[in-house]
Amino acid sequence: MNFVNQMRNWAARQTTDANCLVSGLSIGIDTCLTQTFREDMKQLGLTHLTAVSGANCVIVIGAFWFLLNFFGAGRGLRFIASVVLLTAYVALVGWQPSVLRAAFMMTVILAAVEVGLRIRPLFALMFGSAILVIVDPWLIGDLGFWLSVLATAGLVSFGKPVFEKLSNWFPKPIAVGLAAAMAAQFLCLPILIWLQGGFPTYSILANLLVEPVVAPVTVVGLLAILISPLFPLVSSQLMELAGFLSSWIVWVANVLPRNANSMLPMAPFWFVGAVLVLVVLAVARRSLSSVMVATLGVTAMLSYTIATIFVSHTWHSDNWQIASCDVGQGDATLIRSEGHYALVDTGKDERLIAECLDEFGVSELDLLVLTHFDFDHVGGTVGAIRGRSVKRVLISSFPDGRPQSRFIRNLVQQSASEVIEAPFGLSGNFGDIGWRVFSSLGAKATTSNEGSLGIRFESSDWVLWTLADLPETAQVSAISECSKSSKLTIVKVSHHGSADQSQPFYECISPDFALVSVGASNSYGHPTKRLLGVLSNLNVKAFRTDQLGTIDLEEDSGSFQFKWRGR
């Protein structure tokens, strides 16, 4: 057991995503993978690569069987040696449901081959899965187990006929890869759509592109891990070779999610499930009425997707300059100038902020401001930077020891070209917009909110004040820095419209409009009557994301107007 732990510990100490992926492919240890890469794999339907299952067992046993056969081992020896290796492999990777299912199924097939019986793979799958469920009934609720079973069922049921059809159109190597990718995902699709919140359009392509290197990476990586306690130098060289091969997978996972519509929105899960039931009934009954009902259901489902894409890409014009993303109870303000982009906070939901950035066509962030490390301001950071390059990140210098602070700091250090703990007075520009930190109390602050970054942005036409979660005390401290402007002035109000506001500060900046980033029906009572009263007293028009959805400021023939998507 100590020897096994040494191998597992060595595998977990890999640093780069490529080498960490080798450990994941070989024995399922993927703890060292960066969160950004995990999300890229999830979006492309590649997460199965690091979940050791039947494919891994087939690769390992297949390579071992080939070696034994090459050296002339008899059938009996091959069977005994393969079962011993399979047991050892399961012990090494852990007693995971998908691994147990695969191991049991392969043992049944190996035993049948040993005694000269022909056994259908689908029967072996059903028999092995049934035994496991009887032994451990809790597997019924394990999604990993079901994904493994369904993917294998798809392969053994549809793999051959799909290959035969595709081989008429494609060369056989490509037809084999396409057939395997399509068949494995077909039965898993409902669960994958539910888990991922949409249909991964590049999933089959991504799986086809990475398939050629999966087997060699798995075999070389496993060999490197097995000999690591005894021959560390040789093991490191083998790991570098496997890492070189797996870098192709890393490249695919990094590139494809940047493309538009890499995740198509789907109708609510209950509706998709109902349509699938109608399709199954139509196939079973083959009556005109059932086919018509199923066709209507499928049409409605596709119409929802098309309408969602159309609306999300057409409600705003190409002349937008400021956008308040609807990220629920959180903050995310997007600013554009001459093809350059700045983002102030990322909300708490990585999916929502990613959708907003995709909606506005943002592929690169010149400036990312993480005002402080409350989860509703930084929880979506992974979604904001996934598939996008980030040049400069500003973070608060407040000494925040929370785990999310450490995680986000490490994340942006890995992802951005430059990370700065922004001091008071720090300034810069992107495009024709200048910015300045007007509030940064850092270690002088008593709370994270008080230490959050207040940023003033200014273009040739407007001024934008982003107040993060600055409480009244911090706003009062910043009054000496505020000023009225003859330009159009917008304020992103503090703390989602909480009561902790300074009316003198708002009077000092004299805004024309206010953006309130707040979640619908939130439990905090935001925006509060006090904040709305302050804005009303100053005749400031408020635009709220809980009522309007994503809001943007657009320029049209020299004048500006606010538009919104609607909820």
Side-chain angles (χ1 to χ4, degrees):
M1 184 59 68
N2 185 53
F3 192 74
V4 170
N5 289 335
Q6 289 182 48
M7 290 186 286
R8 293 176 63 85
N9 291 336
W10 185 84
R13 288 196 299 269
Q14 304 306 310
T15 54
T16 66
D17 277 333
N19 284 8
C20 289
L21 185 58
V22 175
S23 297
L25 281 165
S26 303
I27 61 174
I29 294 180
D30 60 356
T31 53
C32 51
L33 290 173
T34 62
Q35 188 63 29
T36 302
F37 182 64
R38 290 175 186 272
E39 291 301 320
D40 287 341
M41 292 182 67
K42 178 181 177 182
Q43 191 168 351
L44 290 175
L46 294 176
T47 50
H48 65 89
L49 294 178
T50 58
V52 176
S53 60
N56 304 76
C57 293
V58 169
I59 290 170
V60 172
I61 295 301
F64 186 63
W65 189 278
F66 173 80
L67 285 176
L68 291 176
N69 191 56
F70 179 79
F71 288 107
R75 178 185 293 177
L77 178 59
R78 289 201 302 263
F79 170 72
I80 295 172
S82 297
V83 171
V84 170
L85 176 63
L86 193 57
T87 303
Y89 185 62
V90 171
L92 177 61
V93 303
W95 306 93
Q96 305 167 38
S98 58
V99 180
L100 290 174
R101 193 272 312 153
F104 200 93
M105 176 182 172
M106 289 196 67
T107 302
V108 171
I109 293 175
L110 288 172
V113 172
E114 171 63 19
V115 298
L117 294 177
R118 296 186 62 183
I119 186 169
R120 294 184 177 181
L122 187 60
F123 171 79
L125 171 65
M126 292 187 295
F127 181 74
S129 301
I131 294 297
L132 287 174
V133 170
I134 292 172
V135 173
D136 183 6
W138 291 105
L139 289 177
I140 289 291
D142 191 299
L143 291 180
F145 174 74
W146 281 110
L147 285 172
S148 173
V149 171
L150 291 173
T152 307
L155 281 170
V156 300
S157 300
F158 309 118
K160 185 177 180 180
V162 171
F163 164 73
E164 290 174 348
K165 294 291 184 182
L166 291 176
S167 60
N168 295 326
W169 299 88
F170 299 98
K172 286 190 176 180
I174 296 178
V176 169
L178 272 174
M182 294 171 66
Q185 295 206 29
F186 177 68
L187 293 180
C188 296
L189 199 57
I191 297 178
L192 292 175
I193 290 174
W194 177 55
L195 289 174
Q196 297 173 244
F199 180 80
T201 55
Y202 294 108
S203 182
I204 291 177
L205 174 61
N207 278 274
L208 179 64
L209 289 174
V210 305
E211 194 63 36
V213 300
V214 170
V217 168
T218 301
V219 173
V220 176
L222 181 59
L223 181 59
I225 293 168
L226 289 174
I227 67 173
S228 58
L230 301 176
F231 307 103
L233 292 179
V234 177
S235 177
S236 296
Q237 295 301 314
L238 288 173
M239 179 59 77
E240 289 303 315
L241 172 60
F244 172 76
L245 296 174
S246 70
S247 62
W248 167 247
I249 302 176
V250 175
W251 184 84
V252 170
N254 286 337
V255 170
L256 287 184
R258 299 183 186 180
N259 293 275
N261 295 326
S262 59
M263 185 70 71
L264 291 182
M266 295 296 293
F269 184 70
W270 64 266
F271 184 76
V272 176
V275 171
L276 290 176
V277 170
L278 291 175
V279 171
V280 171
L281 291 176
V283 173
R285 298 183 62 181
R286 298 183 182 180
S287 64
L288 180 60
S289 59
S290 62
V291 171
M292 290 181 63
V293 171
T295 302
L296 288 174
V298 172
T299 302
M301 187 171 65
L302 294 176
S303 298
Y304 175 92
T305 298
I306 295 170
T308 302
I309 295 172
F310 180 78
V311 169
S312 68
H313 284 79
T314 57
W315 70 269
H316 63 81
S317 74
D318 292 332
N319 296 322
W320 70 273
Q321 298 189 23
I322 300 171
S324 184
C325 296
D326 181 12
V327 290
Q329 184 68 7
D331 267 14
T333 307
L334 184 61
I335 308 159
R336 182 177 75 165
S337 174
E338 299 178 344
H340 299 274
Y341 300 91
L343 176 65
V344 182
D345 288 330
T346 64
K348 63 181 178 181
D349 189 319
E350 59 192 57
R351 178 181 62 83
L352 293 178
I353 185 61
E355 288 178 354
C356 184
L357 295 179
D358 290 342
E359 187 175 308
F360 286 97
V362 179
S363 59
E364 179 179 82
L365 289 171
D366 295 84
L367 179 67
L368 172 61
V369 181
L370 301 177
T371 60
H372 60 306
F373 292 101
D374 283 5
F375 193 72
D376 58 343
H377 288 254
V378 299
T381 303
V382 169
I385 66 179
R386 180 178 60 237
R388 300 176 181 87
S389 60
V390 182
K391 291 183 178 179
R392 174 182 290 178
V393 178
L394 304 185
I395 60 176
S396 169
S397 59
F398 176 75
D400 195 327
R402 290 176 292 178
Q404 65 225 41
S405 171
R406 294 192 294 271
F407 171 76
I408 296 296
R409 285 172 181 267
N410 291 334
L411 178 64
V412 295
Q413 289 285 357
Q414 296 173 8
S415 305
S417 302
E418 181 182 20
V419 179
I420 303 173
E421 286 193 352
F424 168 78
L426 181 69
S427 61
N429 60 75
F430 64 98
D432 70 347
I433 292 178
W435 55 266
R436 185 174 185 273
V437 179
F438 71 85
S439 182
S440 178
L441 296 179
K444 297 179 182 178
T446 58
T447 65
S448 174
N449 285 353
E450 196 174 48
S452 58
L453 299 178
I455 313 288
R456 181 183 186 273
F457 296 88
E458 183 172 4
S459 76
S460 57
D461 299 304
W462 49 258
V463 173
L464 169 67
W465 298 80
T466 61
L467 305 191
D469 275 358
L470 294 173
E472 183 176 9
T473 54
Q475 293 176 31
V476 169
S477 297
I479 286 180
S480 60
E481 296 299 316
C482 72
S483 60
K484 294 183 181 180
S485 174
S486 59
K487 299 176 182 178
L488 177 71
T489 302
I490 306 104
V491 60
K492 196 293 297 178
V493 305
S494 172
H495 204 181
H496 325 296
S498 74
D500 198 6
Q501 311 285 343
S502 167
Q503 181 162 328
F505 178 83
Y506 282 85
E507 291 174 348
C508 183
I509 63 175
S510 187
D512 299 295
F513 299 98
L515 296 172
V516 186
S517 185
V518 62
S521 303
N522 66 85
S523 60
Y524 305 97
H526 296 162
T528 60
K529 291 182 179 180
R530 183 166 190 269
L531 178 277
L532 295 176
V534 168
L535 298 179
S536 177
N537 293 338
L538 299 175
N539 294 316
V540 178
K541 170 68 174 177
F543 293 89
R544 298 165 46 175
T545 59
D546 63 328
Q547 296 177 339
L548 305 175
T550 297
I551 305 161
D552 77 355
L553 176 70
E554 301 183 0
E555 187 270 336
D556 183 17
S557 302
S559 63
F560 288 89
Q561 63 177 339
F562 283 93
K563 295 179 67 176
W564 49 88
R565 181 176 57 190
R567 298 187 62 85

